[in-house]
Amino acid sequence: LLTGQEHRKVPFSTHRSSTVELASLEEDFDVVVIDEIQMLCDEFRGFAWTRALLGVRCKEVHVCGGAEAIDIVKKICRLSGDDFELHRYERFSDLKVLDESLAQSPAEKGSYRNIQSGDCVVAFSKKDIFAIKREIEHNTPFKCCVIYGSLPPNVRAEQARRFNDPDSEYKILVASDAIGMGLNLSIKRIIFNTMFKHNGDRIIQLDHSAVKQIAGRAGRRNSLYPNGEVTCRDPDDMAHLKKCMGTEIRPLTKAGVIPTPSHIAVFNEHLEEYDSSGKEIDLHTTLRKFSDMATLKGDFFLCREQSMEIVSRWLKDIKNMSTAEKFALCMSPVNESCTKSKNVLLKYVETYASGKVPGLHYSMQPRTAKTFDHLADLCMIHHQLELFLWLQKKLPSNAVEVMRAEALKERTIQMINSGLFKAEKLTLSYDYISKDVRIKKEWASERRGEEDEI
């Protein structure tokens, strides 16, 4: 198993599973399976699916995903001279869109008292998730598991195991859209707490593909709930849910790509060659000019490189490091919106580039969670340790620090599990309903502003 967070090696293994970003293009395989192929149109991560589809070395590639990807995959196969064969599969179980929402009005409180065993409530922030979990556990006899993106993989897997176990006391799941991929869950009913989320830039309403992807988690063949149901908490969201579930997703027309390290290295050489100042051009300038000047023909688009540009700007003043090395660091799992994550990256790189040995910072010591903010801090510390270990793989320096980081990571995971187990004792003051009303007003205001400009 190879992921950005975990490398699990098994002696004499004959199969490998990895995230699409870590798909090997240097080794030969008998068969490669690429899941969720419709993601190649994603404006941020689509390049990874395109890279895998075009680059994996094997005679037979199976791609799985939504029917909207058929046309673009067929075109890519034609461009690369490959044969294309299509197999269609129907969902084994029924998925029913319910007529009624849980709440009678958008601002109604306590609507989750009507929750049922096997339900999964989908929310889009950690505070929403924990506030809903607390409400359910206070107002019903049920206990809740939680799953969201920043939880360590081991913790997510343990929460999924508890929820799926018919003998467990945990009958409800409260989760983010992280359940949409990579987890097998025995869910009876999906309940959207809201149809709006912040995508990192702005508030958006979930599109048809996202709604269907999440809703499709309900109902699972050979489980306690072979047939699935989907509804919303807010009655105002029901019209959008029914529209999304009843609409065919438009076929994808383009696949995302980004430049490779060799592209950037050659482009950088040409920029310096034709630059009259004779100065070395930094990576940030190279990436920005590449994005401005690049033209793509046919069925491809250039993925957004916002994260890469931000990291490259951070690395601008780092000496004794090549453009190729800096470009590789732009692919690091750093959270560019988090100061602590940025500091881990910069401190490591600055120390390494100066010829010294990078070490762990004292702030990466986990502490027992007494509030939900502390629990979020533990998840952030886990992320920082993962980033440190990623940097150790790219720029190796000290085996002792690697062992320390691994030990701290395991301790952090234990503390996160303990915090989740005792979540009802953690301090939390938060109103997810007021927040949902507010972001919907903001979204509606932005829409009116865009329409006025048109």
Side-chain angles (χ1 to χ4, degrees):
L1 175 67
L2 300 177
T3 73
Q5 297 174 301
E6 189 175 6
H7 282 214
R8 192 186 307 165
K9 296 184 179 181
V10 180
F12 311 110
S13 59
T14 58
H15 293 67
R16 177 187 300 169
S17 179
S18 77
T19 54
V20 70
E21 285 87 354
L22 293 182
S24 172
L25 307 188
E26 288 76 42
E27 299 172 82
D28 293 321
F29 296 94
D30 295 321
V31 175
V32 170
V33 180
I34 304 173
D35 199 8
E36 308 293 357
I37 192 63
Q38 74 279 357
M39 287 291 292
L40 51 67
C41 75
D42 185 83
E43 62 178 331
F44 296 102
R45 295 179 63 206
F47 69 90
W49 276 264
T50 307
R51 168 185 172 274
L53 180 60
L54 286 169
V56 290
R57 293 170 51 173
C58 67
K59 294 181 179 179
E60 191 172 312
V61 180
H62 292 249
V63 295
C64 310
E68 65 270 23
I70 291 173
D71 290 349
I72 186 64
V73 172
K74 190 184 294 185
K75 287 180 180 179
I76 290 173
C77 288
R78 192 183 304 127
L79 285 171
S80 57
D82 293 324
D83 296 326
F84 177 83
E85 188 176 320
L86 176 64
H87 295 266
R88 293 181 182 268
Y89 299 92
E90 298 298 325
R91 181 184 169 100
F92 284 113
S93 57
D94 293 331
L95 179 59
K96 180 182 179 183
V97 181
L98 300 181
D99 294 326
E100 300 293 331
S101 61
L102 253 67
Q104 299 300 310
S105 68
E108 180 187 331
K109 296 183 182 293
S111 60
Y112 286 115
R113 63 182 176 274
N114 301 318
I115 209 83
Q116 302 170 12
S117 179
D119 279 350
C120 172
V121 181
V122 177
F124 299 104
S125 81
K126 290 192 288 290
K127 286 189 174 180
D128 285 1
I129 288 169
F130 283 115
I132 293 166
K133 170 184 167 69
R134 172 153 294 182
E135 178 183 319
I136 292 171
E137 293 184 339
H138 278 192
N139 297 334
T140 75
F142 297 118
K143 286 195 172 184
C144 304
C145 290
V146 297
I147 293 175
Y148 52 91
S150 62
L151 279 179
N154 294 10
V155 178
R156 289 202 299 266
E158 174 60 19
Q159 292 289 303
R161 185 198 64 76
R162 288 185 184 183
F163 176 69
N164 286 338
D165 184 356
D167 298 323
S168 166
E169 59 184 338
Y170 294 87
K171 303 298 183 184
I172 308 296
L173 179 63
V174 187
S176 72
D177 47 356
I179 65 164
M181 296 182 189
L183 289 171
N184 288 320
L185 297 162
S186 184
I187 297 170
K188 175 186 177 183
R189 179 173 61 167
I190 290 285
I191 302 167
F192 286 94
N193 180 63
T194 180
M195 282 287 181
F196 294 82
K197 64 178 287 190
H198 199 283
N199 70 350
D201 289 332
R202 57 193 175 88
I203 296 165
I204 61 168
Q205 189 175 38
L206 300 183
D207 61 21
H208 297 177
S209 178
V211 170
K212 287 188 173 183
Q213 182 77 28
I214 297 168
R217 299 295 96 184
R220 182 181 171 194
R221 192 185 186 195
N222 298 325
S223 76
L224 289 173
Y225 312 110
N227 297 313
E229 299 172 343
V230 58
T231 188
C232 300
R233 175 194 61 83
D234 184 346
D236 288 354
D237 286 334
M238 290 299 293
H240 184 67
L241 172 64
K242 291 176 180 179
K243 178 182 176 182
C244 290
M245 296 300 293
T247 304
E248 288 295 324
I249 300 174
R250 289 193 298 270
L252 306 179
T253 57
K254 291 182 181 291
V257 294
I258 63 167
T260 65
S262 58
H263 286 139
I264 294 300
V266 171
F267 185 71
N268 184 260
E269 287 177 9
H270 286 304
L271 286 179
E272 292 181 349
E273 181 181 344
Y274 291 102
D275 183 55
S276 57
S277 68
K279 295 181 180 179
E280 182 180 347
I281 299 176
D282 62 76
L283 178 61
H284 171 66
T285 302
T286 301
L287 287 173
R288 181 170 49 80
K289 289 190 174 183
F290 187 97
S291 183
D292 292 342
M293 298 171 66
T295 56
L296 291 166
K297 296 181 180 179
D299 307 304
F300 300 94
F301 70 92
L302 197 62
C303 285
R304 292 183 64 180
E305 300 169 338
Q306 182 178 357
S307 176
M308 294 174 63
E309 289 184 7
I310 291 171
V311 176
S312 66
R313 194 183 303 123
W314 295 346
L315 301 175
K316 183 172 65 173
D317 297 325
I318 301 293
K319 306 298 182 184
N320 303 322
M321 190 165 281
S322 68
T323 299
E325 286 177 316
K326 289 183 179 180
F327 184 81
L329 292 172
C330 289
M331 308 299 287
S332 69
V334 66
N335 182 350
E336 64 272 9
S337 63
C338 174
T339 302
K340 290 182 178 179
S341 186
K342 172 186 175 181
N343 289 342
V344 171
L345 175 67
L346 285 182
K347 184 68 175 176
Y348 190 103
V349 174
E350 287 168 354
T351 305
Y352 183 89
S354 67
K356 299 177 183 178
V357 178
L360 290 166
H361 194 266
Y362 69 88
S363 64
M364 296 187 200
Q365 292 285 342
R367 61 173 179 168
T368 302
K370 295 181 180 179
T371 69
F372 282 101
D373 287 337
H374 291 166
L375 193 56
D377 289 343
L378 284 172
C379 292
M380 177 49 63
I381 288 172
H382 182 272
H383 162 76
Q384 292 173 43
L385 291 166
E386 290 284 2
L387 175 58
F388 182 87
L389 290 167
W390 186 92
L391 290 166
Q392 281 282 352
K393 289 186 177 73
K394 290 292 180 182
L395 305 171
S397 67
N398 190 328
V400 174
E401 289 297 282
V402 170
M403 293 173 65
R404 281 189 64 211
E406 292 283 5
L408 282 175
K409 188 178 80 168
E410 289 304 314
R411 186 176 162 201
T412 304
I413 289 172
Q414 292 172 6
M415 288 187 172
I416 293 172
N417 273 322
S418 177
L420 292 175
F421 185 70
K422 300 174 181 177
E424 71 280 356
K425 298 179 181 178
L426 302 182
T427 303
L428 177 68
S429 178
Y430 181 75
D431 185 352
Y432 67 89
I433 294 177
S434 298
K435 178 222 176 177
D436 188 42
V437 171
R438 175 176 54 79
I439 67 170
K440 285 176 178 175
K441 286 181 179 178
E442 290 178 10
W443 178 80
S445 177
E446 286 180 11
R447 286 286 297 272
R448 285 194 295 271
E450 291 172 359
E451 290 170 0
D452 291 344
E453 288 179 7
I454 294 172

